[in-house]
Amino acid sequence: MANESGQVYGLTILSPIVEDQRLDIDHTTQLRWYLSTLPRDNTSPFAKVSSTYLARLVVLDDVVFVGKPACEEHLKSRYLIFETNFDGDLDTYLRRMASEAGEFVDAVWKHCVGYPGAGNSDAFVAYMKKCQLQTTFFFADVNDRTVKDTLRALQTQSALTHFIERNQGKPPAEIQKLFGVFLERLKSAPAPLPGGRADEKSATEDRPHD
Amino acid sequence: MNAITPMKPWKTPLLRLFFFVLGAIKPLQADLKNLSFIHFARWVIVGRNRFPRLSDKQPREELRYDYLIFFSNFNGTWNQYIDAFSAVLSRGLNLIWRWSEKFPGSTPVTPFKGYIGRVQFDTDYYYNCYPKAATNDVKAALRVQDALNDFAKTSQSLSPVEFENAYLEFLARVQPDLGSTGIAPVGT
């Protein structure tokens, strides 16, 4: 199935946005304003739905006219595109969106035609599936790990680099002992936060090079 | 990056066939994989009658073209991305976009960039669970994790002399993949 690659699911949703001529500020503009205020780090709503690798929300105002001799044509509605890449199955992911990021989901999709609200997760899942587009071809460079595994591996990579750097040249018995402590600390370290911290410097940035 | 291009409906099945073959024969994806700066990418064909209509009040779309929508999540700059696409994947890209109206070909790069600029549309919100990690960082980190898991099984039961040899072997295995992630330097 083209929506999936290994353990990764590529979901594409196209939701028509409500057109209401009576409003001073139309739904599309309100939606864009809201999206522009959303955090992108570990406080992002997608960090709560922690199986999300990468996600985007895009307003499609119209199709594109590429120039003559092609025909010029226009959409009659504007659409919200939701593109997300996550590990696991679709139903679980959508239900997590509704339960763990319901406020955000409502704030976004309330601008869309036929949106039933995140409160009723069955109706929400059915709505999203009505808006789903089948992916024709999906490419995932790494498709055999979860988000949690990947974040943990990045944490390990950085920690191990520091361990090796700090302990080079020490006697083998001492390194062995320290390595055991290192493994225990790594095992009990809190899981890395998806999305990172906006104010966080990387280990490399923190370490001036001589 | 997001792009949308119109296609005459009679051409759509040909592109679907190409994607089917690309999906079925993995070696054909080798160049895409070897570029190693695309986390995820997808192409979605939307038939002219397939735009979701969820209410009778919503006007029905009356389109003559089917549309190919492309989404890519890559690390690096737009210019680096398009240049690499043009230089490395030109044959594959031509097979994908040749069915779209007015596609100039992926080489030479100047008209190709002009076309992409015309059919591209901006992202309003973007989230990345590992914003400081490039595709190669992710792959390297996973290799380090696997190597550490292997070494951790025996490291504490070895004598110091055995440990020294095993530790050096472990270092040699992980050395190319060590490092920390961070904001990439911006180059133009």
Side-chain angles (χ1 to χ4, degrees):
Chain A
M1 192 175 170
N3 292 326
E4 290 164 82
S5 170
Q7 290 185 29
V8 183
Y9 194 103
L11 175 65
T12 314
I13 297 279
L14 200 60
S15 301
I17 297 171
V18 176
E19 297 289 344
D20 187 344
Q21 306 293 336
R22 296 166 301 174
L23 295 175
D24 283 342
I25 300 169
D26 64 17
H27 283 278
T28 304
T29 306
Q30 290 181 47
L31 177 55
R32 280 195 161 121
W33 277 350
Y34 175 72
L35 293 175
S36 72
T37 65
L38 280 178
R40 295 167 187 232
D41 61 1
N42 64 67
T43 57
S44 162
F46 289 106
K48 290 182 188 165
V49 190
S50 58
S51 54
T52 310
Y53 286 100
L54 298 111
R56 76 182 68 200
L57 288 154
V58 186
V59 173
L60 177 65
D61 289 299
D62 202 350
V63 291
V64 171
F65 174 53
V66 289
K68 289 191 178 299
C71 302
E72 183 173 354
E73 61 182 2
H74 298 281
L75 293 174
K76 293 187 173 173
S77 296
R78 284 181 278 196
Y79 293 85
L80 171 67
I81 298 176
F82 173 43
E83 186 244 4
T84 181
N85 307 272
F86 58 89
D87 61 66
D89 70 278
L90 177 60
D91 278 56
T92 304
Y93 184 77
L94 291 175
R95 285 182 198 282
R96 283 192 69 188
M97 276 184 70
S99 64
E100 291 166 41
E103 198 178 320
F104 152 76
V105 169
D106 281 341
V108 170
W109 272 275
K110 72 180 180 185
H111 298 290
C112 296
V113 176
Y115 175 63
N120 180 341
S121 60
D122 288 340
F124 172 70
V125 171
Y127 166 81
M128 293 298 258
K129 286 184 175 177
K130 267 191 226 166
C131 297
Q132 184 180 5
L133 298 176
Q134 180 80 12
T135 299
T136 313
F137 181 75
F138 182 42
F139 172 78
D141 201 358
V142 177
N143 65 3
D144 59 351
R145 308 294 175 108
T146 63
V147 170
K148 197 174 164 186
D149 291 342
T150 308
L151 292 173
R152 183 66 84 177
L154 286 163
Q155 183 185 44
T156 297
Q157 181 193 40
S158 178
L160 181 65
T161 303
H162 283 279
F163 176 84
I164 293 168
E165 200 175 36
R166 272 198 311 272
N167 296 299
Q168 59 189 340
K170 289 183 181 169
E174 190 182 340
I175 295 180
Q176 185 175 24
K177 190 177 164 195
L178 292 168
F179 192 70
V181 174
F182 167 76
L183 289 176
E184 283 307 311
R185 280 196 186 147
L186 199 60
K187 205 171 159 185
S188 57
L193 296 170
R197 285 205 331 254
D199 60 343
E200 181 184 52
K201 282 186 177 177
S202 72
T204 308
E205 289 163 332
D206 272 338
R207 191 177 67 238
H209 292 279
D210 300 327
Chain B
M1 176 185 169
N2 321 300
I4 183 166
T5 52
M7 291 187 302
K8 290 191 172 84
W10 68 266
K11 295 180 178 178
T12 304
L14 299 169
L15 181 57
R16 284 191 193 281
L17 177 65
F18 172 72
F19 278 129
F20 176 77
V21 173
L22 188 61
I25 305 173
K26 299 292 178 200
L28 294 177
Q29 299 176 29
D31 283 343
L32 195 58
K33 204 156 178 72
N34 291 340
L35 275 179
S36 204
F37 60 43
I38 303 167
H39 294 278
F40 303 102
R42 76 184 68 170
W43 287 264
V44 181
I45 296 172
V46 192
R48 61 197 186 286
N49 301 318
R50 293 292 188 158
F51 283 75
R53 184 166 181 259
L54 300 183
S55 156
D56 291 339
K57 290 180 188 164
Q58 183 192 343
R60 194 182 294 278
E61 300 294 353
E62 293 172 5
L63 298 169
R64 280 169 284 189
Y65 291 117
D66 291 343
Y67 284 86
L68 174 64
I69 311 183
F70 172 59
F71 303 98
S72 184
N73 302 277
F74 59 93
N75 42 261
T77 66
W78 187 88
N79 269 311
Q80 286 169 340
Y81 184 65
I82 305 295
D83 285 340
F85 251 32
S86 175
V88 180
L89 291 176
S90 61
R91 203 173 53 168
L93 290 187
N94 289 342
L95 285 167
I96 292 171
W97 270 287
R98 67 181 298 165
W99 319 103
S100 290
E101 295 297 284
K102 300 273 283 182
F103 178 64
S106 54
T107 52
V109 74
T110 301
F112 178 55
K113 283 185 177 176
Y115 185 78
I116 296 294
R118 177 175 270 197
V119 301
Q120 198 178 325
F121 53 108
D122 293 332
T123 297
D124 292 285
Y125 179 78
Y126 191 62
Y127 168 80
N128 183 344
C129 78
Y130 34 62
K132 292 180 178 175
T135 314
N136 278 332
D137 294 325
V138 170
K139 291 178 182 172
L142 291 168
R143 286 192 293 267
V144 168
Q145 183 73 65
D146 289 346
L148 183 73
N149 292 346
D150 288 346
F151 185 50
K153 285 176 200 161
T154 55
S155 66
Q156 295 307 295
S157 59
L158 302 172
S159 70
V161 175
E162 289 169 332
F163 177 82
E164 183 178 21
N165 290 332
Y167 185 66
L168 287 174
E169 272 178 34
F170 169 66
L171 293 192
R173 182 175 167 190
V174 296
Q175 188 170 1
D177 294 324
L178 293 176
S180 299
T181 59
I183 304 285
V186 176
T188 54

